[in-house]
Amino acid sequence: MEKTTDVLLLTMNSSEKQETVCIFGTGDFGQSLGLEMLQCGYSIVFGSRNPQMSSLLPNGAEVLSYSEAAQKSDIIIIAIHREHYDFLTELTEVLNGKILVDISNNLKIKQYPQSNAEYLAQLVPGAHVVKAFNTISAWALQSRALDASRQVFVCGNDSKAKQRVMDIVRSLGLTPLDKGSLMAANEIENYPLQLFPMWKFPFYLSAVLCVFFFFYCVIREVIYPYVYEKKDRTFYLAISIPNRVFPVAALTLLALVYLPGVIAAILQLYRGTKYRRFPDWLDHWMLCRKQLGLIALGFAFLHVLYTLVIPIRYYVRWTWTNRTIAQAIAKKESPFSTSTAWLSDSYIAMGMLGFFLFVLLGITSLPSVSNTVNWREFRFVQSKLGYLTLILCTAHTLVYGGKRFLSPSSLVWYLPSAYVIALIIPCTVLVIKFILILPCIDKTLTRIREGWERNPKFSESALNGKTDI
């Protein structure tokens, strides 16, 4: 009797799972989505202009004309480009009351004045249009490589229709994210067309820094020796100058990660409230801090690699060989300097520790790692250890410079060394941060961030949700 009951329950569950879904279109995405849904237990019927020509569809799927296929299911996935939507007006009566899932994308951002989903809703006013699946590619469905793109944005005006589509998304092993009404379709359709939107500013900034410091070092170390000493040092362009540029860029970008937070704190102290929005440029800068930090870490890696190859360079081996021969002929040896040894070991030690913490910051910023820690732990690593990393890297550069900072001989055409310029922003950030953590200032800043206001006229802004957090 128990076995019979179990069989009946399994039969009921399987019959409930055998929901029929219609897919208009037999292209790559339609085929891939249909195959995935078949494997998840759905019954699939394709709608096609030429049902007899569709021979590449998954086994087990039925192929009918658009009108016949639409009658088989109340959920229809429109896997067709927007320019071919016109035929749907002929099926208005058949599609009335059905759920139409628009999965289309455009070739460029803002290609049309209104979103494809809203356009579809105008063509078939009696249907419930839901936007979904446009952020998933056919290749990802075929290869099941969905680790980086499991989120499916869903929007629509009918909550029940949205819920049914979200149930399908979950059954495919994906994560639905409700974006609200159909008005959000425009944003959802533009999302797949964006090419690293948060990386543009960091990339441009790092490129400008690299170009500036590269030509700055070329003037000091290539052009100047050629003009005054007729020495050809163009070979510096391969390793020596890049190994000046990379650490300088890494330190500057790392400081720029923490500079907007310092500016934000100063603004809050000046305004006496947290209930005022930051300027747009500062908001965008703060949103790009993760990308700035990762690019800085990349430059730090390059600096380490370039430093490791220094002993095998021909120029370095030639220099040390000649120096050794000269000392042997003169029967002289260089006296050992304990202070120099301390400086050398100190700046190398601080560089290694700084790089270790730099790598730790980069690892914890990865979603797979950051999702395993709570907010307090993440903030401790990114803020407290982040400032410690900045201190160690700045100290590494300061000790490397040593007495040369004050030496007039280090100036070339009145230009200081590149690492001297690189210390301007980090030292500024650290000095201001030190001032901000003084008890008298930190107490006021903490009260402001907890909601206290020096001028209560901003309370109305707070109630409207216009905060800068």
Side-chain angles (χ1 to χ4, degrees), residues 16-19 21 33 35-44 75 77 133 141 144 146 150 152 163-176:
E16 289 177 2
K17 192 72 178 285
Q18 282 290 333
E19 181 181 7
V21 176
L33 185 59
L35 176 60
E36 192 71 16
M37 295 181 72
L38 277 170
Q39 293 174 347
C40 291
Y42 288 93
S43 177
I44 302 299
I75 297 182
I77 297 175
F133 290 113
L141 287 172
R144 305 185 74 86
L146 296 167
R150 287 190 175 275
V152 176
Q163 189 57 51
R164 290 193 63 185
V165 175
M166 292 170 72
D167 289 341
I168 294 176
V169 172
R170 291 189 189 94
S171 68
L172 297 179
L174 305 172
T175 305

Side-chain angles (χ1 to χ4, degrees), residues 318-336:
W318 177 86
T319 302
W320 282 106
T321 300
N322 281 3
R323 184 175 299 177
T324 302
I325 294 173
Q327 289 179 344
I329 294 175
K331 296 182 180 180
K332 292 182 179 180
E333 63 178 14
S334 300
F336 180 80

